Amino acid sequence: MYNTIVFAPLFGFLAAAVLGKYVSARVSEIVTTALLFVSCLLSWIVFVNVGLGQGQASAPVVANWFTSGGLKIDWALRVDTLTAVMLVVVTSVSSLVHLYSIGYMAEDPSRPRFFGYLSLFTFAMLMLVTSDNLVQMFFGWEGVGLASYLLIGFWYDRPSANAAAIKAFVVNRVGDFGFSLGIFLVWVLTGSVSFDAIFAAAPGLANKPIDVFGLHVDGLTIACLLLFMGAMGKSAQFLLHTWLPDAMEGPTPVSALIHAATMVTAGVFMVARLSPLFELAPTALAVVTAIGALTAIFAATVGLVQNDIKRVIAYSTCSQLGYMFVALGVGAYGVGIFHLFTHAFFKALLFLGAGSVIHAMHHEQDMRNMGGLRKEIPFTFWMMTIGTLALTGFPFTAGYFSKDAIIEAAYAAGGHSSAATFGFLMTLLAAGLTSFYSWRLVFMTFFGERHAHAGHGQDTHAHDTHAQDAHAHDAHGHHGHDHTPHESPLVMLVPLAALAVGALFAGLAFNGAFIGHHFEEFWKGTIGQGPNNHIMHDMHNVPKWVGYAPFVMMVLGFLVALYMYILRPGSAQRLAAANPVLYRFLLNKWYFDELYDVLFVRPAFWLGRLFWKGGDGRIIDGLGPDGIAARVVDVARSAVRLQTGYLYHYAFAMLIGVAAFITWYLLGGVR
């Protein structure tokens, strides 16, 4: 069963991407989608048996990968409660994205390649979550990076798509470099990369110093920080977040898959999987909390002013990932994974709902060109509303149970950690901002009057090059204001309905198992809840006002959005005009792209040109092909001119030589 779950998407990739040119696009769609639904069905069976039932964790060895001295790496599929949760998330979202894509990509001639890449993405993520050692995890880790590059740049004839794909690839190389160093350090400390061996050796590594550049530092803390550096890249955390918004250049189903189930959840899963290590490195956990809190508030502030419908949801993902890391940082690993689980449903719903809006608007993405769509695409409107309710934490929706629990856990841990207090304040503030920008999206898209063009007195961001998704293969070739919007086909609406069920009821159904009274029975020791970690108990004893605070912030955010965009239209534009510096600061995403351009991109180009023009051109080529070698060629050419082929020329040269020799001899050659 486990082999089928993991390798079915791989067979789908081979069938679509490799054999796609020999079969019709319809066959590729059906085969890949059917295999994903098979994998999804089996994943739910595993979840019920291993997670909710009495099934035991297992790690059957598929094959030996390689052996080098004392290092033996096996392909083993580790299946426990944490894996079962991730299997459900990955395969459920991916199968629905496959089904949705049949309608969304119907006019694209490269559908077999697209569906092949989707299946490859899913396979790589499944390899990651079922890994039994760090090397196998790194294989899946790099696999999702490759697949994201291929999918973000799927429309490779668009320069912006190529640039976004390269940016995602390069930024993730930074994080992956730290992750690989972390793996090496764990190997040095424990002599193994197998999870069971690492976890068994971890207690003996606490407070064990190592020498780094002449400094004595805690080895486990450095290892965890390096590993978390990898998570910062994959999960788009503060400082390594810049690739995520640009990833919107890919087709909308790709955005849903990246943001809800695969790429960005990899970092959260990795920290949860290695929680027995992080439990013994409190400094590293404090860093995780602080970075998560910064990400949550940063992305929430930027999302306030974005006009691209997909970018608003993208920054929402970035912010919610920050929430997850706050939970992991304060030791509430189950809470962080619970939010990952619920977030998958409502975030996939929001992205696919946005795709339905874009489809209805003939590939228009700028919300300022929308408005009044609730009457023309009512089903999509209600699906987006359900997703928004869940995201903002409306009572008894999925987000209400998981996001509020993170805020409570951060408060409960605040008495022992200033980072946790910071996390509580930032996540609470971000809850209000999330409510505002989420309802702003709904009001701008579905309420008011239709707008023929962008404007509204706002300044269009210079880097928002994809304000409308007019991709190269769009068979319609129309703009949203040229034709009446229409509801998406049934094949796109069914996945929305399925995800809406999860967005409404996933929290209510599984709250008790993930973080409630059945917590220990559900997780069965899968996550590293140390003997001094009482966060799961403490978070249920926080003051009542802490439990009500997220709801109050949600209501405030909703009311402000209602006032600005429904009751007093134009208020937002006047506020932006009154605070141009702040508005442009947020619109330009805190100027991180510009800052990185000055700090890294331009110096890299300068250094490259120095080595190219100065080193390669002037020194190597100057001394080599353009220097000594060129002079040899010049001499050879001059010598060639002397070889005329005429006998009298050679005789004359000989006579000159004889005359010169005799002259030397007579004038002093012999004494």
Side-chain angles (χ1 to χ4, degrees):
M1 180 186 297
Y2 302 152
N3 290 340
T4 303
I5 292 173
V6 174
F7 291 105
L10 178 62
F11 294 141
F13 161 70
L14 296 174
V18 179
L19 303 177
K21 60 182 179 181
Y22 303 111
V23 298
S24 67
R26 178 62 68 187
V27 172
S28 298
E29 295 171 346
I30 293 175
V31 169
T32 54
T33 304
L35 287 172
L36 253 299
F37 271 98
V38 170
S39 183
C40 177
L41 176 62
L42 296 177
S43 295
W44 276 100
I45 293 175
V46 170
F47 178 71
V48 172
N49 289 338
V50 176
L52 302 180
Q54 300 300 320
Q56 298 298 315
S58 61
V61 176
V62 178
N64 174 254
W65 188 3
F66 65 86
T67 301
S68 178
L71 178 63
K72 180 182 179 182
I73 305 298
D74 290 325
W75 285 106
L77 304 182
R78 184 185 186 93
V79 179
D80 53 21
T81 302
L82 181 59
T83 305
V85 172
M86 295 303 298
L87 289 178
V88 165
V89 169
V90 174
T91 57
S92 296
V93 173
S94 182
S95 59
L96 293 173
V97 166
H98 274 71
L99 181 62
Y100 178 93
S101 299
I102 293 176
Y104 189 85
M105 301 294 290
E107 305 296 337
D108 198 302
S110 300
R111 295 195 304 284
R113 179 167 60 92
F114 178 78
F115 279 86
Y117 288 168
L118 284 183
S119 292
L120 177 64
F121 206 169
T122 307
F123 164 71
M125 189 65 187
L126 292 175
M127 285 301 306
L128 191 157
V129 301
T130 57
S131 57
D132 191 45
N133 58 73
L134 286 171
V135 178
Q136 187 179 341
M137 176 181 281
F138 192 73
F139 171 83
W141 193 269
E142 294 302 306
V144 294
L146 168 65
S148 67
Y149 170 79
L150 295 173
L151 285 167
I152 293 170
F154 177 75
W155 290 315
Y156 53 81
D157 49 359
R158 294 169 56 188
S160 58
N162 286 326
I166 293 172
K167 186 176 183 179
F169 196 79
V170 170
V171 172
N172 273 276
R173 297 287 68 72
V174 177
D176 293 355
F177 177 68
F179 186 45
S180 59
L181 290 179
I183 293 175
F184 298 151
L185 184 53
V186 169
W187 160 255
V188 170
L189 292 173
T190 65
S192 177
V193 292
S194 173
F195 291 142
D196 288 335
I198 292 171
F199 298 158
L205 300 176
N207 301 318
K208 179 180 180 181
I210 61 171
D211 292 327
V212 179
F213 301 117
L215 300 175
H216 292 285
V217 295
D218 183 57
L220 201 56
T221 297
I222 297 299
C224 289
L225 288 175
L226 289 171
L227 293 169
F228 177 61
M229 184 175 173
M232 288 175 63
K234 274 291 181 289
S235 296
Q237 291 300 282
F238 190 72
L239 300 180
L240 294 181
H241 64 276
T242 54
W243 67 269
L244 189 61
D246 290 358
M248 299 302 98
E249 286 289 349
T252 300
V254 173
S255 303
L257 194 57
I258 289 177
H259 287 249
T262 52
M263 182 87 163
V264 298
T265 62
V268 179
F269 167 79
M270 183 267 286
V271 174
R273 172 61 78 199
L274 299 178
S275 55
L277 295 182
F278 281 86
E279 274 286 282
L280 300 171
T283 301
L285 283 180
V287 172
V288 172
T289 305
I291 293 294
L294 278 172
T295 306
I297 194 64
F298 156 75
T301 60
V302 176
L304 298 175
V305 298
Q306 298 302 306
N307 297 311
D308 185 304
I309 188 171
K310 287 171 64 177
R311 282 202 172 214
V312 175
I313 305 173
Y315 278 107
S316 168
T317 298
C318 195
S319 182
Q320 297 306 305
L321 289 166
Y323 274 86
M324 297 175 203
F325 280 108
V326 168
L328 297 175
V330 300
Y333 307 105
V335 178
I337 296 299
F338 186 35
H339 194 50
L340 184 154
F341 179 79
T342 60
H343 176 265
F345 292 103
F346 58 75
K347 188 49 59 70
L349 175 60
L350 286 170
F351 263 114
L352 296 187
S356 184
V357 172
I358 295 169
H359 183 271
M361 294 291 292
H362 302 284
H363 302 280
E364 173 65 71
Q365 292 184 210
D366 195 324
M367 296 186 298
R368 295 169 298 175
N369 294 345
M370 301 177 188
L373 294 179
R374 73 184 188 280
K375 297 178 181 178
E376 294 165 314
I377 48 174
F379 187 84
T380 299
F381 162 67
W382 283 111
M383 295 299 99
M384 290 286 287
T385 301
I386 290 173
T388 300
L389 290 171
L391 171 61
T392 58
F394 189 81
F396 306 111
T397 60
Y400 167 76
F401 290 97
S402 58
K403 189 166 72 171
D404 287 18
I406 292 175
I407 296 173
E408 292 171 3
Y411 179 87
H416 311 287
S417 168
S418 57
T421 301
F422 177 68
F424 166 72
L425 295 175
M426 293 302 100
T427 52
L428 184 61
L429 179 58
L433 300 180
T434 299
S435 180
F436 173 81
Y437 68 66
S438 298
W439 287 111
R440 171 180 178 266
L441 182 152
V442 172
F443 294 149
M444 289 182 68
T445 303
F446 296 103
F447 289 81
E449 300 296 330
R450 288 283 307 283
H451 302 291
H453 55 81
H456 301 277
Q458 296 193 42
D459 185 16
T460 303
H461 183 14
H463 298 291
D464 242 351
T465 56
H466 58 286
Q468 49 187 355
D469 186 14
H471 59 74
H473 305 295
D474 178 21
H476 299 291
H478 303 312
H479 295 289
H481 51 77
D482 293 332
H483 295 270
T484 302
H486 55 86
E487 192 65 270
S488 300
L490 188 63
V491 71
M492 293 173 62
L493 299 182
V494 169
L496 296 182
L499 291 168
V501 173
L504 287 173
F505 302 113
L508 185 64
F510 300 107
N511 176 59
F514 276 88
I515 62 175
H517 299 297
H518 303 290
F519 170 82
E520 294 183 359
E521 179 184 349
F522 176 75
W523 288 108
K524 303 182 182 72
T526 301
I527 54 180
Q529 210 77 29
N532 297 322
N533 187 339
H534 306 293
I535 189 65
M536 298 307 297
H537 176 268
D538 295 341
M539 61 178 285
H540 294 296
N541 296 316
V542 298
K544 289 186 177 181
W545 70 265
V546 176
Y548 293 133
F551 175 78
V552 172
M553 296 300 291
M554 177 202 71
V555 173
L556 287 176
F558 168 77
L559 292 177
V560 174
L562 181 69
Y563 175 84
M564 287 189 170
Y565 293 94
I566 300 298
L567 302 179
R568 292 291 186 272
S571 299
Q573 290 73 29
R574 290 190 292 272
L575 183 62
N579 301 275
V581 175
L582 177 61
Y583 175 72
R584 292 190 63 83
F585 178 73
L586 298 180
L587 192 64
N588 286 276
K589 302 162 288 188
W590 292 25
Y591 290 101
F592 266 102
D593 284 331
E594 291 78 3
L595 178 63
Y596 286 175
D597 183 65
V598 172
L599 293 179
F600 303 114
V601 177
R602 293 183 187 178
F605 274 106
W606 176 84
L607 189 63
R609 291 191 185 97
L610 176 65
F611 286 135
W612 170 34
K613 297 289 188 179
D616 189 43
R618 295 178 183 174
I619 298 176
I620 298 176
D621 288 346
L623 294 177
D626 298 332
I628 298 174
R631 301 294 76 76
V632 171
V633 171
D634 293 341
V635 172
R637 286 172 179 168
S638 300
V640 166
R641 294 191 185 98
L642 298 175
Q643 306 299 318
T644 64
Y646 294 106
L647 182 62
Y648 62 87
H649 285 172
Y650 301 146
F652 180 71
M654 293 173 64
L655 288 174
I656 292 176
V658 171
F661 177 75
I662 293 174
T663 301
W664 171 77
Y665 180 81
L666 292 176
L667 295 178
V670 177
R671 291 287 185 266

